[in-house]
Amino acid sequence: MFQYFVRRLLALVPVIFIISVFVFLFVHALPGDPARVLAGENATQADVEAMRRALNLDRSLPVQYVEFVRNLVTLDLGTSLRTGEPVWDMMMRAFPATFWLSVASLAWSVVFGLIAGVISARRRDSFADHSAMVLAVSGISIPPFWLGLLLMQVFSVQLGWFGTSGFDDWSDLVLPSITLGAGVAAVMARFTRSAMVDVIREDYVRTARAKGLRERVVVWKHTLRNALIPVVTMAGLQFGFLLGGSIVIERVFRWPGLGSMLIEAINYRDFVVVQAELMLFSLEFLLINLAVDLLYGIINPAIRYR
Amino acid sequence: MAYLKTTALAAVLAATGGLAQAQDIKVAMDQVFHTLDPQDSNYNVDFSSMEGVFERLISFDEDMGLVPQLATEWEANEDATQFTLTLREGVVFHDGTPFNAEAVKANLERLADQSQNLAKNSMFNMVDSVEAPDETTVVINLKEPFGAMINTLAHPAVVMHSPASLEEGDVSDNPVGTGPFRFDEWVPGEQLRVVANEDYWDSEWPKVDSVTFYPVPENATRVSMLLSDEVQFVYVLPAELAENVESNDNYEVLSREGLTVWTAAMNMNKEHFQDPKVREAFNLVVDQEAFLQVVYSGHGSVPDSPIAPNTQFHEAQEPALSTDVERARELMEEAGYGDGFEVEIWARNNSTEVRMLQFLKQQLSQINVDATVLPLEGATRSERLFGSNVNPETIEYDLAIGGWSPSTGDADWHLRPVYATEGFIPAMYNMAFYSNEVVDGAVAEALATADPEARAAAYAKAQEQIWADQPAIFLAVDEKMAGRKKGVTGVIKMPDGTMQYSHAAVEE
């Protein structure tokens, strides 16, 4: 397994290189000139040219790309075009907020999604099944933006139970993580339900029942464990998305995370920051995928790594 | 619901003993801060947050009138090439450095030094030299006459840094000024805090212990923060949410007529807009009163000149804008466009400008003009209008919506960039490609003197000519709005869109 792990890590290197080409080209294909935007609306052409020189944007694209890659290798992510702050420092400041929000959202939505999915699958076409699935469809359909503002209006402005926004306190996690997790919980519930429904028809489940095992053991040990593979894959993917920072939710809740940082960077065409964030998100996805692959073996010992 | 809110609030107030004890004022701003060096910024949020930390030589009062700040007197020579300022005595920077003529010289030379690449360098490219003959006198010599110099000095970016801090290096995150508040902490993207400066030269101020600013780009969140008492001031209150604040007895809406005149510039490189009858028809067909209701929920006024009433040297023009669809149709007929034509209108993609687009499309259809509207994302719009490869001859738009606010409060910085020939995009902001000798002459004439009467006369001439030529559909003068907790005073919204808080206080 260790060999497998090392091989997979090494395989990431060419992938990251390919990603770097795409990220660089994508970012530079965006319409909009950072010098123009940063110089401001009332700036004259002379101001813009001064800004371009100050930002070193007057060099050719290949030259900029070579420097981008060289900096990546040395883990120097450059400095923000907008603020002049090292991008590494900015990301380290924003990462914890996004990380904790992702963990909180994923935690409650996985627990909730699994329970709802199992109950639905066990009692198919019952009232509980239908209500859980209606709830799940609502969770996917409600625009998170609107749900966030609604929760804020009720629980912060009207009831005063939570602060409206910002991340000063652990209680500040409640509203944004509910908002962000709603969609994930819904996806998890539906996924768990369909995986369970497939597995519950398998012969070994019937055998387990025939052996006289208690229904609880049959459901949670024999069925769920085997249904978990697609569910874990899905959870991993969702975690990857969450770690990318939800731009909308972070903006609504004034969350000082990667999503807020990304939207500001895009608005101001702060290429250096956008590039660095996209590279980070790609890396996160790759690592989560790897972690999910390793988890398979723990969940189902029949899976072997070679 | 309103009852519930009020009771909840009363409970909170009772528990905390009301606002009287809170000596920290919290403010939610509409944008993130870019830098703490106003000399290197183009953004009102940066000017506003640093207003209490730094002082300018000359400042604006609430009505954009010039008032002494670090300079107590100023005078100009006849041809507006030399300006002499007398400085306030007994002022010290937060780091203990004395404020004197040498400090002013260091700051103005920094602004004039084009190699610094500061955002505001180009405002000072006419400065030739700065002299400090004694402790309290500064003489500014210009390369060419510039009658708008005093207003330029009053621009919110023209602050006085401690010369010691400038020598130390980076002032973008270490602001040292002379204001009633000193810089305490900045967490980019999260908050910015300033605390009272006990050694401020005017012993009457400051009256609060600290002011904390939060960048909150989301409109609804900003208002929620005010209504749940997390902040006491919301800077930039969108017109559509003003009702939520106004309907609650504990809060008030501050509203000031701004300096921004919104127009839809008519691209005069297009054949149809070269005909004055067509331009007149476009102004006649648009109902400006209805525009204000649709776009600003009534918070604004109908323009009476190319520049806003609060801008210096504004002169109300005759005839006032009016709506007459019949006459507009006749004019189009006379111009040979009775069946109308197709136009493309550009604007930004924010909700306010999208409403403008929809409204104009509907209004123009009354004279058979078929409008294609194009809402553009901010940076994309900048690129397409002001990018270095923009070609005035081939640019596609027929009408371009835009609002211009002269941040110096002076007519020059509205008429010159927007209506003079030298202002053609992409260089400045003349999106109509309007070019008129009378206007160009008057704008140049007004800059060649510092005599207010002569300048007023020249600007009156320019305004009259532009009003007659109608190179744009004049749409609205917007209001600058803010939300405030009742009992907080001295935090105010300025017509130029910035905010002042030096005289913040909490009523007992």
Side-chain angles (χ1 to χ4, degrees):
Chain A
M1 179 157 160
F2 180 71
Q3 258 191 338
Y4 170 83
F5 179 68
V6 171
R7 224 173 34 238
R8 281 287 302 267
L9 271 186
L10 285 178
L12 291 185
V13 175
V15 177
I16 289 174
F17 175 74
I18 293 168
I19 290 173
S20 79
V21 177
F22 276 104
V23 163
F24 184 82
L25 289 180
F26 166 74
V27 163
H28 285 270
L30 281 178
D33 169 8
R36 179 72 242 179
V37 182
L38 291 164
E41 183 80 315
N42 293 13
T44 62
Q45 201 61 32
D47 297 331
V48 178
E49 290 312 317
M51 181 65 81
R52 199 185 315 282
R53 280 192 302 278
L55 298 175
N56 280 327
L57 291 173
D58 44 0
R59 297 166 309 165
S60 73
L61 274 191
V63 172
Q64 291 188 47
Y65 176 72
V66 169
E67 190 180 303
F68 168 58
V69 172
R70 199 177 53 217
N71 290 346
L72 269 189
V73 172
T74 55
L75 279 184
D76 170 6
L77 299 178
T79 55
S80 159
L81 296 182
R82 183 169 68 85
T83 61
E85 201 189 352
V87 176
W88 178 263
D89 295 357
M90 292 170 73
M91 297 223 293
M92 285 306 105
R93 194 173 55 235
F95 184 77
T98 296
F99 179 77
W100 289 117
L101 180 57
S102 306
V103 169
S105 308
L106 191 74
W108 85 257
S109 55
V110 163
V111 170
F112 184 87
L114 275 182
I115 294 175
V118 168
I119 292 175
S120 284
R122 273 288 294 125
R123 313 206 178 129
R124 279 177 68 196
D125 293 329
S126 70
F127 177 71
D129 177 22
H130 290 309
S131 359
M133 287 306 114
V134 165
L135 209 63
V137 172
S138 319
I140 298 174
S141 327
I142 290 180
F145 174 82
W146 181 81
L147 178 64
L149 288 176
L150 186 77
L151 292 175
M152 192 190 291
Q153 181 65 26
V154 173
F155 293 101
S156 306
V157 178
Q158 305 282 348
L159 298 172
W161 290 358
F162 301 102
T164 54
S165 55
F167 185 23
D168 308 310
D169 202 305
W170 289 106
S171 70
D172 290 332
L173 271 169
V174 175
L175 297 184
S177 68
I178 291 178
T179 312
L180 194 53
V184 181
V187 171
M188 296 304 294
R190 289 179 61 86
F191 238 78
T192 309
R193 181 181 182 274
S194 59
M196 286 285 288
V197 166
D198 286 344
V199 175
I200 224 159
R201 294 199 192 109
E202 296 278 348
D203 289 345
Y204 58 81
V205 174
R206 198 174 39 211
T207 310
R209 284 211 179 99
K211 283 196 299 189
L213 288 179
R214 269 178 301 157
E215 186 63 15
R216 214 172 51 194
V217 179
V218 173
V219 169
W220 293 102
K221 198 169 167 200
H222 292 256
T223 317
L224 181 61
R225 196 151 178 178
N226 283 297
L228 267 184
I229 298 288
V231 173
V232 166
T233 311
M234 198 58 196
L237 272 180
Q238 296 288 342
F239 192 51
F241 282 119
L242 290 176
L243 275 182
S246 161
I247 288 171
V248 175
I249 301 305
E250 288 197 1
R251 190 177 149 112
V252 167
F253 286 101
R254 196 166 57 87
W255 202 255
L258 293 169
S260 299
M261 201 173 123
L262 184 63
I263 186 80
E264 289 300 332
I266 291 175
N267 282 342
Y268 290 101
R269 296 297 188 270
D270 194 339
F271 292 158
V272 184
V273 175
V274 179
Q275 279 167 3
E277 283 214 47
L278 292 182
M279 289 306 296
L280 175 71
F281 297 160
S282 313
L283 190 66
E284 282 170 357
F285 254 102
L286 295 174
L287 293 178
I288 288 169
N289 261 326
L290 180 55
V292 166
D293 285 351
L294 295 176
L295 258 182
Y296 289 164
I298 297 170
I299 297 167
N300 186 346
I303 294 176
R304 287 278 171 268
Y305 299 104
R306 272 186 294 185
Chain B
M1 200 68 109
Y3 167 77
L4 192 82
K5 234 190 287 186
T6 323
T7 355
L9 219 124
V12 171
L13 282 182
T16 56
L19 257 182
Q21 288 167 1
Q23 292 298 327
D24 181 33
I25 294 201
K26 295 187 164 72
V27 182
M29 316 279 277
D30 68 329
Q31 280 179 31
V32 294
F33 307 111
H34 304 78
T35 171
L36 306 187
D37 176 9
Q39 293 184 4
D40 193 20
S41 176
N42 291 302
Y43 298 96
N44 280 342
V45 275
D46 299 338
F47 303 147
S48 302
S49 59
M50 286 294 111
E51 187 270 338
V53 174
F54 287 111
E55 290 178 295
R56 309 171 229 172
L57 295 166
I58 300 156
S59 183
F60 291 118
D61 64 17
E62 274 189 69
D63 303 310
M64 298 301 286
L66 295 167
V67 287
Q69 200 163 46
L70 289 175
T72 51
E73 285 168 48
W74 50 87
E75 58 180 23
N77 67 353
E78 199 159 304
D79 58 357
T81 52
Q82 191 180 64
F83 292 80
T84 307
L85 309 172
T86 309
L87 305 181
R88 189 177 295 282
E89 290 177 63
V91 178
V92 193
F93 285 100
H94 300 153
D95 61 1
T97 313
F99 170 78
N100 53 28
E102 283 301 328
V104 176
K105 182 171 148 73
N107 276 282
L108 293 180
E109 283 177 347
R110 179 176 191 249
L111 281 161
D113 176 5
Q114 303 299 315
S115 68
Q116 296 267 350
N117 282 329
L118 298 177
K120 285 291 172 266
N121 276 148
S122 67
M123 267 174 76
F124 286 83
N125 61 8
M126 72 307 229
V127 172
D128 184 39
S129 64
V130 184
E131 296 162 42
D134 62 58
E135 279 281 290
T136 57
T137 309
V138 174
V139 180
I140 307 170
N141 299 303
L142 306 185
K143 295 173 197 155
E144 61 207 50
F146 191 70
M149 190 65 199
I150 294 300
N151 273 71
T152 301
L153 289 174
H155 188 286
V158 187
V159 300
M160 293 296 121
H161 284 281
S162 153
S165 73
L166 287 176
E167 263 167 44
E168 266 171 38
D170 198 4
V171 290
S172 66
D173 59 0
N174 178 35
V176 182
T178 57
F181 294 91
R182 60 174 78 216
F183 168 66
D184 181 42
E185 182 197 29
W186 179 30
V187 187
E190 286 183 55
Q191 60 160 294
L192 171 66
R193 201 173 122 91
V194 300
V195 296
N197 168 22
E198 304 301 341
D199 305 320
Y200 186 54
W201 55 265
D202 184 349
S203 56
E204 203 185 328
W205 304 99
K207 286 189 175 164
V208 295
D209 298 325
S210 61
V211 183
T212 312
F213 301 91
Y214 303 95
V216 190
E218 183 53 47
N219 288 340
T221 308
R222 230 163 31 245
V223 173
S224 290
M225 288 175 83
L226 180 71
L227 297 181
S228 57
D229 283 338
E230 283 173 35
V231 297
Q232 288 86 44
F233 196 85
V234 168
Y235 161 91
V236 181
L237 178 68
E240 65 267 24
L241 291 174
E243 178 64 30
N244 300 27
V245 176
E246 223 150 28
S247 62
N248 189 312
D249 290 343
N250 295 298
Y251 311 96
E252 60 193 332
V253 171
L254 305 183
S255 183
R256 291 200 65 82
E257 187 172 69
L259 298 183
T260 312
V261 180
W262 285 91
T263 61
M266 292 182 262
N267 180 349
M268 289 168 68
N269 284 338
K270 302 266 177 172
E271 201 191 329
H272 38 249
F273 286 134
Q274 283 164 8
D275 191 331
K277 286 181 176 155
V278 174
R279 300 199 302 271
E280 195 186 342
F282 271 56
N283 261 301
L284 277 173
V285 78
V286 172
D287 182 346
Q288 276 84 359
E289 291 291 346
F291 180 90
L292 287 176
Q293 292 303 327
V294 170
V295 176
Y296 291 114
S297 313
H299 293 280
S301 58
V302 176
D304 61 1
S305 152
I307 59 179
N310 272 328
T311 301
Q312 252 185 58
F313 306 119
H314 161 269
E315 195 84 49
Q317 300 298 311
E318 294 289 338
L321 291 175
S322 60
T323 313
D324 187 342
V325 179
E326 274 315 308
R327 177 77 191 123
R329 284 192 188 126
E330 278 170 35
L331 284 166
M332 290 292 279
E333 201 75 56
E334 285 168 27
Y337 294 110
D339 296 330
F341 45 84
E342 288 179 8
V343 294
E344 187 168 305
I345 316 179
W346 289 9
R348 293 184 194 78
N349 64 351
N350 62 54
S351 56
T352 308
E353 290 189 37
V354 168
R355 282 200 297 271
M356 292 184 187
L357 282 174
Q358 291 164 340
F359 183 79
L360 280 183
K361 182 178 168 70
Q362 183 276 329
Q363 297 272 292
L364 292 177
S365 69
Q366 300 176 92
I367 47 172
N368 299 322
V369 169
D370 182 17
T372 307
V373 297
L374 194 61
L376 296 165
E377 185 265 349
T380 310
R381 172 181 175 274
S382 293
E383 170 90 0
R384 292 179 71 168
L385 282 175
F386 310 108
S388 38
N389 50 358
V390 164
N391 181 350
E393 302 295 324
T394 56
I395 193 158
E396 305 96 2
Y397 68 83
D398 299 273
L399 293 134
I401 290 180
W404 182 269
S405 163
S407 39
T408 57
D410 187 286
D412 171 65
W413 196 235
H414 197 144
L415 296 174
R416 194 155 54 93
V418 184
Y419 296 106
T421 307
E422 66 171 293
F424 277 14
I425 64 165
M428 285 192 251
Y429 212 74
N430 187 341
M431 300 191 294
F433 303 105
Y434 171 65
S435 176
N436 181 286
E437 281 175 14
V438 177
V439 174
D440 289 351
V443 165
E445 193 186 320
L447 273 191
T449 171
D451 172 25
E453 273 174 35
R455 298 190 68 213
Y459 288 131
K461 207 160 45 176
Q463 290 171 68
E464 195 186 324
Q465 186 67 43
I466 298 164
W467 199 248
D469 290 339
Q470 308 193 9
I473 309 177
F474 298 106
L475 296 170
V477 177
D478 64 5
E479 278 177 23
K480 304 297 176 195
M481 298 170 72
R484 189 165 75 173
K485 169 105 184 154
K486 280 185 186 164
V488 173
T489 61
V491 188
I492 55 168
K493 186 86 201 186
M494 298 288 291
D496 65 0
T498 62
M499 180 192 99
Q500 295 195 353
Y501 62 90
S502 282
H503 291 179
V506 179
E507 274 170 9
E508 295 295 321

